[in-house]
Amino acid sequence: METKKKTALSDPKMVTRAVRDSFIKLNPKVQAKNPVMLLVYISAIMTSILFVVSLFGIKDAPSGFTLAIAVILWFTVIFANFAEAIAEGRGKAQADSLRAAKKDVQANKIPSPSQKEKITKILSASLKKGDYVIVRAGEQIPADGEVVEGAASVDESAITGESAPVIRESGGDRSAVTGGTTVISDWLVIQVTSEAGESFLDKMIAMVEGAARKKTPNEIALQIFLVALSIIFILVTVSLYAYSLFSARQAGIVNPTSVTSLVALLVCLAPTTIGALLSAIGIAGMSRLNQANVLAMSGRAIEAAGDVDILMLDKTGTITLGNRQACEFIPVDGTDMGELADAAQLSSLADETPEGRSIVVLAKEEFGLRGRNMSDLHMTFIPFTAATRMSGADFPGNEIRKGAADAIRAYAKDGGYPYSRECEETVTRISNQGGTPLLVAKNHKILGVIHLKDIIKQGVQEKFADLRKIGIKTIMITGDNPLTAAAIAAEAGVDDFLAEATPEGKLAMIRDFQSKGHLVAMTGDGTNDAPALAQADVAVAMNSGTQAAKEAGNMVDLDSSPTKLIDIVRIGKQLLMTRGSLTTFSIANDVAKYFAIIPALFLGLYPQLSALNIMNLHNAQSAILSAIIYNALIIIALIPLALKGVKYREVSAGRLLSRNLLIYGLGGIIAPFVCIKLIDMIIVALGFVGNI
């Protein structure tokens, strides 16, 4: 049974920590970072002062009313702090677990890889970039580095959360190791690639805590917009007070509009809902990436992922399963199908490659060939070599070979057998379909062809179709020849492909798209991917890849799964959708607040304004209190949505906008009308306000 995932709000420890942090964040220096909530913070202080002054007989409004407004405003600030603190909670919990993995262990420092016996025991904190260490089974890797010698099984669960160990070895694209992981078997000689305090683990801790989080350009732009709105409403509120004073003097009455009421109006009209949740939305987006085991080096990268319209994906391991599989036996020159399948299976019994295993399985499934043992048949396995480009088996009186077309052609010619036109046409047809032809010969006579095929992963066609709906173009990157690449691209349903890919080719393609105004995302794990990763707008480096690739990327996939790029785009789009939806809801809320507060403020001057009291609120005090209470409670009500994010849907931008306006625009208008009326009824029933 699948266990239900614990949310931040359902974790008592996380909630307790967030409540404590909510009060710590009342520090003016912290509040100053959010201009919109700073306005609420100052308003809370101002109404608190007005209440204290009212106790000495200098009343701006009834003391009880002023106190109620002050208390509600303080709660509004605390609720906003809580939203941010609960969003940070996941990151802090993850940072705590990472710190537990970061220990100052003893390192076996050696002068050079050739001097493994000259070990000096030092603390890992004393290691410097360029030092060499040897790590044996059961020991913790003391620092980030590159494997320069050896191969070993490494437990990376402290970093990735995955219990299955991975192989790390010198050379290739799986040579990078992370400090804090543990060698399970064998040994490694590692060259340290980071200084103390600058390791990958240190960067992870800083990122997940949010200490290094910078606001993204869109977030900054939205905050500027919200500040501009707040300034406009400040000017409007000051103008209303001046107008109220003037009107009261003209009518010869005492000004009925109190400063407390105008402060309440200002807070209600200012975009406090989105202002309170803006930071939480950004932190929660980064947290969702962390939960997906992706470390984003900047908030800008997450946001860019939401705007990406070009997706460049590796073929092997992303679009295809990564290993070719036998899908068909094709006899030639009158050979019986069963004889071909029998020979193909016999030649593959000792072949432990994925291709060899698939040939054995296909023969078993198609022709019932099973239960054969090489020793019983007195067979000798002939391994594949780069020189012969063939493998096979010899047994008394017979020899079977399978291999590349040109190798088997030469093998058949040596035995005096022809390479027929039918065989050549079959090889050409398979190649044109994007497959790999593997010829089988028995005693130098060619029996037929095995069709090896790159197997497209289940569901990728649907994923690419969904991406196409939202305007994202998918491009497959492969080292295959153009003919093979075209066939696989057509089957997978990608929009384009780059065949015989080189570092220069990838870089040129990315630059070309960017010059046309596109945002490009790509994955990579090798040193040869580093130039393209550095150029891409969203560059996801595999954690198992080289140090060069990780330094060039702006995200690191700790699971080293190339398909993660699609999930990253979804999370990025979800972040933008959530921010847009809650902004729409927040601004739409103001419409109901106008009808609640404006008539209440000026009813004493202009009784005719009672016609605008369409909610039939009890009186001016209850109207203002109801609006300001709703303004505080809606922040708490929207925290789960800010943390979880608006549900991602693969629809066009037009349909997404229409849905957004319908749910969050229209909903943002209707919800406060209903809620403010209910709050008004409750506070009147409880006797919190009197008639005025």
Side-chain angles (χ1 to χ4, degrees):
M1 184 182 288
E2 189 177 334
T3 56
K4 193 175 181 181
K5 198 170 185 180
K6 184 181 279 190
T7 63
L9 289 170
S10 66
D11 187 335
K13 287 184 180 179
M14 210 173 285
V15 171
T16 303
R17 187 176 191 170
V19 170
R20 186 185 69 242
D21 289 349
S22 299
F23 288 93
I24 294 172
K25 286 175 180 287
L26 289 174
N27 185 323
K29 289 182 180 179
V30 177
Q31 293 300 311
K33 294 177 182 177
N34 188 335
V36 177
M37 293 314 299
L38 178 64
L39 177 65
V40 184
Y41 181 71
I42 293 171
S43 299
I45 294 172
M46 186 185 299
T47 49
S48 298
I49 293 171
L50 287 173
F51 168 69
V52 173
V53 169
S54 72
L55 296 178
F56 296 96
I58 309 172
K59 292 189 177 183
D60 167 70
S63 297
F65 177 70
T66 306
L67 176 62
I69 295 294
V71 170
I72 295 166
L73 290 180
W74 280 117
F75 271 112
T76 305
V77 176
I78 290 169
F79 289 165
N81 291 346
F82 179 78
E84 185 175 62
I86 200 73
E88 292 171 348
R90 279 201 204 102
K92 288 183 177 179
Q94 191 178 357
D96 289 342
S97 66
L98 289 172
R99 278 198 187 89
K102 187 176 180 292
K103 300 171 185 174
D104 197 11
V105 298
Q106 276 206 329
N108 301 319
K109 184 180 175 182
I110 57 175
S112 69
S114 61
Q115 297 174 296
K116 300 183 192 64
E117 303 306 317
K118 294 183 179 180
I119 294 174
T120 304
K121 297 275 187 182
I122 65 169
L123 290 176
S124 57
S126 302
L127 289 171
K128 299 187 183 303
K129 190 174 181 179
D131 287 348
Y132 292 96
V133 294
I134 183 167
V135 188
R136 298 186 178 88
E139 295 176 347
Q140 193 175 92
I141 295 172
D144 292 359
E146 290 279 347
V147 178
V148 294
E149 193 175 323
S153 180
V154 178
D155 176 8
E156 295 188 342
S157 58
I159 307 297
T160 66
E162 294 294 328
S163 57
V166 295
I167 302 298
R168 293 288 174 261
E169 57 190 345
S170 60
D173 294 337
R174 296 188 178 271
S175 60
V177 291
T178 306
T181 58
T182 305
V183 173
I184 297 176
S185 67
D186 302 298
W187 54 271
L188 298 171
V189 174
I190 299 164
Q191 184 176 28
V192 177
T193 56
S194 65
E195 299 288 352
E198 298 177 0
S199 69
F200 184 62
L201 204 55
D202 290 312
K203 290 177 184 175
M204 281 187 67
I205 291 169
M207 289 302 300
V208 298
E209 275 192 315
R213 179 183 175 269
K214 294 180 180 178
K215 286 183 170 61
T216 62
N218 279 352
E219 197 173 347
I220 292 169
L222 179 57
Q223 194 165 65
I224 291 170
F225 171 68
L226 297 180
V227 169
L229 278 182
S230 300
I231 292 171
I232 290 169
F233 287 129
I234 289 172
L235 296 175
V236 168
T237 305
V238 171
S239 300
L240 285 174
Y241 186 65
Y243 177 73
S244 178
L245 280 174
F246 174 77
S247 298
R249 284 178 184 173
Q250 290 293 101
I253 60 174
V254 177
N255 183 16
T257 308
S258 65
V259 173
T260 301
S261 298
L262 286 166
V263 168
L265 171 67
L266 174 61
V267 170
C268 282
L269 296 188
T272 51
T273 306
I274 186 60
L277 297 172
L278 186 60
S279 183
I281 293 167
I283 294 168
M286 188 169 279
S287 178
R288 281 195 292 276
L289 264 188
N290 290 335
Q291 287 181 310
N293 262 0
V294 177
L295 177 65
M297 299 304 182
S298 71
R300 184 188 292 264
I302 306 173
E303 202 163 80
D307 288 326
V308 156
D309 56 356
I310 301 289
L311 215 55
M312 295 177 67
L313 305 123
D314 287 328
K315 181 202 78 174
T316 306
T318 304
I319 295 171
T320 65
L321 291 175
N323 297 305
R324 297 168 303 167
Q325 294 185 8
C327 66
E328 186 182 9
F329 296 122
I330 306 170
V332 296
D333 304 330
T335 301
D336 179 70
M337 179 79 79
E339 183 184 0
L340 171 60
D342 179 68
Q345 189 185 63
L346 287 172
S347 68
S348 304
L349 287 175
D351 186 350
E352 293 299 328
T353 64
E355 292 87 351
R357 294 293 87 205
S358 71
I359 292 169
V360 173
V361 169
L362 182 64
K364 182 169 68 175
E365 290 177 348
E366 296 282 330
F367 299 94
L369 300 173
R370 65 183 72 225
R372 299 196 285 182
N373 191 296
M374 290 188 69
S375 59
D376 294 340
L377 297 170
H378 307 291
M379 295 177 66
T380 302
F381 179 63
I382 308 300
F384 176 88
T385 65
T388 64
R389 298 179 67 205
M390 295 187 299
S391 65
D394 292 345
F395 56 100
N398 294 283
E399 60 180 48
I400 300 173
R401 297 289 183 272
K402 71 175 192 289
D406 54 349
I408 295 296
R409 177 195 295 169
Y411 172 75
K413 186 177 180 182
D414 289 343
Y417 286 94
Y419 183 74
S420 67
R421 175 179 288 275
E422 182 184 356
C423 185
E424 186 175 354
E425 289 174 350
T426 303
V427 168
T428 303
R429 177 169 55 83
I430 292 172
S431 298
N432 290 344
Q433 292 173 354
T436 301
L438 200 64
L439 272 61
V440 179
K442 184 174 182 180
N443 299 327
H444 294 278
K445 181 187 176 184
I446 297 174
L447 301 180
V449 185
I450 304 169
H451 183 176
L452 293 179
K453 182 180 178 185
D454 274 309
I455 305 300
I456 305 298
K457 282 186 176 180
Q458 190 173 4
V460 296
Q461 291 171 312
E462 290 78 6
K463 281 185 179 180
F464 292 149
D466 289 341
L467 291 171
R468 197 173 296 111
K469 286 178 188 174
I470 56 175
I472 295 178
K473 180 178 182 179
T474 51
I475 299 172
M476 181 184 77
I477 306 172
T478 177
D480 292 334
N481 63 67
L483 208 58
T484 302
I488 296 171
E491 186 179 354
V494 294
D495 300 303
D496 202 353
F497 64 88
L498 176 63
E500 297 175 344
T502 62
E504 295 79 10
K506 296 175 192 176
L507 185 60
M509 178 174 267
I510 291 173
R511 284 177 173 168
D512 180 55
F513 280 123
Q514 288 174 331
S515 68
K516 296 173 182 174
H518 296 284
L519 284 178
V520 183
M522 77 160 284
T523 61
D525 59 359
T527 301
N528 63 340
D529 292 321
L533 286 170
Q535 183 68 34
D537 299 286
V538 178
V540 185
M542 302 294 104
N543 188 41
S544 60
T546 62
Q547 194 68 26
K550 287 196 275 191
E551 288 177 0
N554 50 27
M555 291 187 186
V556 177
D557 176 16
L558 302 179
D559 294 332
S560 300
S561 169
T563 54
K564 194 71 70 69
L565 188 55
I566 295 173
D567 297 326
I568 290 168
V569 170
R570 289 172 184 267
I571 291 171
K573 285 196 174 293
Q574 188 182 38
L575 171 66
L576 296 179
M577 286 168 57
T578 303
R579 190 185 294 156
S581 298
L582 292 184
T583 301
T584 303
F585 185 86
S586 177
I587 294 173
N589 268 212
D590 286 348
V591 175
K593 294 172 191 173
Y594 297 150
F595 283 97
I597 295 184
I598 297 291
L601 284 174
F602 296 99
L603 200 59
L605 290 171
Y606 303 105
Q608 299 90 338
L609 287 177
S610 60
L612 294 178
N613 184 17
I614 59 176
M615 286 181 275
N616 196 26
L617 301 177
H618 185 70
N619 58 33
Q621 282 188 0
S622 72
I624 294 168
L625 280 174
S626 299
I628 203 78
I629 289 171
Y630 169 80
N631 198 63
L633 293 180
I634 196 63
I635 294 171
I636 286 290
L638 291 174
I639 287 176
L641 183 61
L643 295 179
K644 188 179 179 182
V646 173
K647 187 176 180 182
Y648 175 78
R649 297 172 186 274
E650 291 97 348
V651 296
S652 65
R655 287 184 60 190
L656 198 61
L657 178 62
S658 300
R659 188 176 183 279
N660 187 44
L661 290 174
L662 178 65
I663 295 175
Y664 298 98
L666 185 60
I669 293 173
I670 295 172
F673 272 102
V674 175
C675 293
I676 289 172
K677 178 59 181 174
L678 286 174
I679 294 169
D680 176 73
M681 292 168 64
I682 292 169
I683 62 177
V684 169
L686 294 174
F688 286 162
V689 293
N691 292 317
I692 57 171

